């Protein structure tokens, strides 16, 4: 596939995935009361953490592969098999534990455990298609997923509980999962299955999952913590605000997850860094524009999107919009570091993600939910500055090394 066609298909696929995620939350908000949407949001937040951890451990190391050979195809097959096995084991454990716990949230978590293999397995195949440079197949399967999930949720009655919505959402992934499995099998059949390689000590996924754990997951779990020790509606308010930026959230995650195969087509490191910087500017401008559009929405239109959650979410738009603009810059900085040296991002994630949690808690103590949102924004700004400072140092050092080698070669030749 030509480079420009691959880029179009990949961007379209991330757009479809983003649209699916935001429409799921919008549908849940419109079908639920404020309390039920808070429960669904908490469960969906747990799924988001598990999805990110799965992608970090199996998907992100996969897309850094450059060669197109049987080893790469076998690695794709092994990553999918590992994800299905791990999701089945983890889902069964989650369902068994929640079966013994009373309450609507526990029932919803139990249903999440039962559908976990389907939703995580389908996402793992997206990484495989990206690694094999077949983004059009991922796009086809994700379009099917979008149609199925919207059709399933559209027939649900108002007042449907969180457990029912989670079940319907999860089972709607089965058609896309089956289609992905058939398409992937045609291109990887006969290649070696090496699941044990994913347990080796040098596997990059270990570093990436730690980065995710202290990065995205830390801030999301801290929001759950605020809901547990403070006001439970904090989760619904912050989740409602981030729901409005759902497409950007998925695009940011997709940039680090699916960007390396596309940037690898550009050749030199210099062109890759420039392209990443340009992407950062575009995404930051998009976030600012999207925040402006949301702020200008009439109250009636906002309630059509989020129902009773709209008033609290709308009050957080300035802080959340600023946060997402900073996240765009930071995410693209991490993408550049992945291309320059994937082992340099862990320290940044650890330090500045923990700082973001401190800013979140401090903001909540000082200004309630609004203060918490601005705390998350400050954390994103600090991380963005740190990532691009590291990019400049690495890229500048790499350029200096090449110039030194060239000078030495000239002196040797003379």
């Amino acid at each position: 596939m030509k480079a420009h066609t691959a880029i179009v298909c990949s961007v379209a696929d991330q757009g479809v995935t983003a649209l699916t995620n935001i429409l799921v939350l919008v549908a849940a908000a419109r079908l639920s009361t404020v309390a039920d949407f808070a429960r669904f949001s908490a469960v969906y937040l747990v799924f988001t953490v598990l999805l990110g951890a799965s992608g970090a451990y199996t998907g992100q190391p996969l897309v850094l592969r450059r060669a197109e050979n049987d080893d790469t195809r076998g690695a794709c097959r092994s990553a999918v098999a590992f994800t299905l096995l791990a999701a089945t084991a983890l889902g069964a454990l989650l369902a068994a534990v929640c079966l013994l716990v009373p309450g609507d949230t526990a029932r919803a978590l139990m249903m999440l455990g039962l559908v976990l293999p389907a939703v995580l397995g389908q996402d793992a195949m997206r990484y495989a298609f990206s690694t094999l440079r077949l983004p059009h197949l991922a796009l086809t399967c994700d379009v099917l997923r979008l149609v199925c999930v919207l059709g399933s949720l559209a027939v649900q009655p108002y007042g449907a509980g969180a457990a029912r919505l989670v079940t319907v959402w999860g089972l709607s992934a089965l058609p896309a999962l089956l289609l992905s499995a058939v398409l992937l099998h045609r291109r990887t059949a006969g290649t070696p299955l090496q699941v044990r390689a994913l347990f080796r000590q040098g596997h990059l996924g270990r570093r990436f999952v730690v980065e995710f754990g202290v990065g995205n997951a830390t801030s999301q779990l801290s929001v759950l913590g605020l809901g547990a020790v403070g006001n439970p509606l904090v989760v619904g308010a912050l989740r409602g605000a981030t729901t409005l930026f759902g497409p950007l959230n998925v695009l940011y995650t997709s940039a680090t997850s699916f960007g390396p195969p596309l940037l690898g087509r550009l050749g030199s490191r210099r062109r890759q860094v420039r392209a990443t910087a340009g992407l950062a500017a575009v995404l930051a401008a998009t976030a600012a524009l999207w925040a402006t559009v949301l702020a200008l929405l009439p109250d009636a239109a906002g309630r059509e999107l989020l129902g009773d959650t709209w008033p609290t979410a709308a009050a957080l738009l300035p802080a959340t919009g600023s946060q997402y603009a900073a996240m765009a810059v930071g995410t693209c900085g991490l993408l550049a570091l992945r291309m320059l040296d994937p082992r340099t991002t862990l320290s940044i994630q650890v330090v500045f993600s923990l700082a973001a949690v401190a800013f979140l808690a401090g903001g909540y103590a000082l200004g309630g939910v609004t203060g918490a949102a601005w705390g998350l924004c400050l954390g994103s700004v600090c991380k963005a500055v740190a990532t691009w400072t590291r990019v400049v140092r690495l890229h500048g050092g790499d350029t200096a090394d090449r110039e030194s080698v060239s000078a030495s070669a000239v002196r040797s030749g003379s």
Side-chain angles (χ1 to χ4, degrees):
M1 180 178 291
K2 295 181 179 179
H4 69 277
T5 306
I7 292 174
V8 170
C9 289
S10 183
V11 171
D13 179 50
Q14 307 319 315
V16 169
T17 304
L19 182 63
T20 301
N21 284 350
I22 190 172
L23 289 181
V24 165
L25 289 167
V26 167
R30 296 189 64 181
L31 291 170
S32 309
T33 63
V34 173
D36 282 335
F37 181 67
R39 295 188 190 97
F40 181 86
S41 297
V43 175
Y44 202 82
L45 196 56
V46 173
F47 160 71
T48 302
V49 172
L50 295 177
L51 179 69
S54 174
Y57 193 88
T58 59
Q60 293 180 22
L62 191 63
V63 297
L64 291 177
R65 287 177 171 265
R66 303 290 178 85
E68 296 183 36
N69 50 35
D70 284 345
D71 287 341
T72 298
R73 287 188 285 272
C76 292
R77 187 170 172 234
S78 302
V80 171
F82 174 85
T83 301
L84 289 171
L85 291 173
T88 300
L90 181 61
L93 178 62
L94 178 62
V97 171
C98 292
L99 182 62
L100 305 176
V101 179
D104 293 336
T105 302
R107 284 196 295 271
L109 285 171
M110 181 180 70
M111 300 314 300
L112 174 63
L114 296 179
V115 301
L116 199 60
V119 290
L120 292 188
Q122 200 264 332
D123 187 73
M125 294 188 195
R126 297 178 63 237
Y127 285 96
F129 289 136
S130 178
T131 303
L132 297 174
R133 299 190 176 185
L134 300 170
H136 59 292
L137 298 184
L139 175 60
T140 300
C141 297
D142 286 333
V143 168
L144 177 62
R145 171 87 186 275
L146 173 62
V147 172
C148 291
V149 70
L150 290 184
S152 300
L153 291 175
V155 298
Q156 302 306 308
Y158 177 79
R164 177 172 177 169
L165 293 178
V166 170
T167 305
V168 170
W169 159 78
L171 293 179
S172 67
L174 286 176
L177 174 68
L178 295 176
L179 178 60
S180 298
V182 171
L183 294 175
L184 185 63
H185 177 73
R186 290 180 179 178
R187 287 153 180 85
T188 62
T191 56
L193 188 64
Q194 299 177 343
V195 177
R196 290 184 180 180
L198 295 165
F199 293 98
R200 292 175 184 168
Q201 187 151 3
H203 180 53
L204 272 177
R206 295 191 176 191
R207 295 181 65 90
F208 292 164
V209 80
V210 172
E211 288 184 26
F212 173 79
V214 298
N216 299 21
T218 300
S219 61
Q220 293 177 10
L221 291 177
S222 63
V223 172
L224 287 177
L226 285 181
V229 302
N231 186 349
L233 295 180
V234 169
V235 179
L238 291 174
R239 191 60 180 170
T242 56
T243 295
L244 298 171
F245 292 85
L248 295 177
N249 200 37
V250 175
L251 286 176
Y252 295 169
T253 303
S254 300
T256 53
S257 301
F258 301 97
L262 298 177
L263 290 175
R265 296 172 179 264
L266 298 178
S268 69
R269 294 288 180 86
R270 186 174 184 178
R271 294 181 64 187
Q272 292 171 359
V273 171
R274 285 184 175 181
T276 308
L279 178 62
V282 170
L283 290 181
T286 302
L289 178 62
W290 184 241
T292 303
V293 171
L294 291 173
L296 296 176
L297 278 181
D299 186 66
R303 289 183 178 275
E304 285 294 318
L305 285 174
L306 291 182
D308 294 338
T309 310
W310 167 254
T312 54
L316 304 181
L317 283 177
T320 306
S322 301
Q323 177 194 355
Y324 271 82
M327 284 173 60
V329 179
T331 298
C332 292
L334 290 175
L335 174 58
L337 290 177
R338 287 284 170 88
M339 301 301 297
L340 294 172
D341 186 353
R343 298 182 182 274
T344 61
T345 56
L346 180 58
S347 59
I348 292 177
Q349 290 280 39
V350 171
V351 173
F352 291 95
S353 296
L354 294 178
V357 174
F359 294 148
L360 169 70
Y364 181 71
L366 294 174
V369 179
T370 303
W374 279 112
L376 288 174
C377 175
L378 179 59
S380 296
V381 170
C382 293
K383 185 183 290 188
V385 172
T387 54
W388 280 101
T389 300
R390 181 68 62 86
V391 169
V392 170
R393 289 177 179 175
L394 283 177
H395 186 52
D398 186 49
T399 302
D401 290 342
R402 288 198 303 270
E403 291 176 352
S404 177
V405 170
S406 298
S408 298
V410 170
R411 287 195 298 270
S412 298
S414 60

